[in-house]
Amino acid sequence: MLATPKPKGPPPKEQPPGSSPAKEYRFPKVVWSELPTGLRFATIPSQALPIVQIRVVVLGGKAADGEHPGLAALTGQLLKDGGAGSMSSRELVTKIESIGGSLSIDTSFDSTVLSLGVTKDHLDEALDLLGAVVGKPRLDQGELEKLKKREVDRTTDASRTSGRWAASMVLYRDLFSLPS
């Protein structure tokens, strides 16, 4: 018997299966309401999971920093790290974790978003905690000093090692008319 020679190179590629038609998706209806204080809010109900995601959007971000680049991001971080109401930073984090929650604060160019995710059964506690962060931030001086030192260390390192960071600083300087 003669052996059949093996073909050289990779085997021929098999064509992937064809796509099926896109399924229609309807985004849940957004319901807008207003509190007696004038604060407008939206709810988007979903029964898929017993989880509630609460977001507070503050229309102020990095673009509002003016001659103080990083101020909005530092303030956002201090909201989380500085404590709220009568709670220290550690107490705030402990309370949020005790209800299975997750707090994040993200600062973009145009806004700062405070998000708190919890299970539905802890909604009231979560609203109280997030209300304290938004309405009664402690902005602790000791925490501010720690954050400033970390940010100075981070930016010093980035200025030496990151071309992307340097390019962003040139862009920000030109966009926001910052001194050289």
Side-chain angles (χ1 to χ4, degrees), residues 10 26 69 111 139 148 165 179:
R26 289 182 181 232
S111 64
L139 305 176
K148 284 169 49 177
W165 183 88

Side-chain angles (χ1 to χ4, degrees), residues 9 47 57 60 65 75 106 123 126 128 135 140 153 165 170 177 179:
Q47 303 302 321
V57 180
D65 284 350
T75 303
D106 298 305
L123 177 60
D128 288 342
D140 183 73
D153 291 347
W165 183 88
V170 170
S177 303

Side-chain angles (χ1 to χ4, degrees), residues 128-149:
D128 288 342
L129 290 169
L130 191 57
V133 171
V134 172
K136 300 175 191 171
R138 286 187 55 182
L139 305 176
D140 183 73
Q141 185 65 34
E143 291 296 329
L144 174 61
E145 294 306 319
K146 289 180 199 175
L147 284 172
K148 284 169 49 177
K149 181 176 180 346

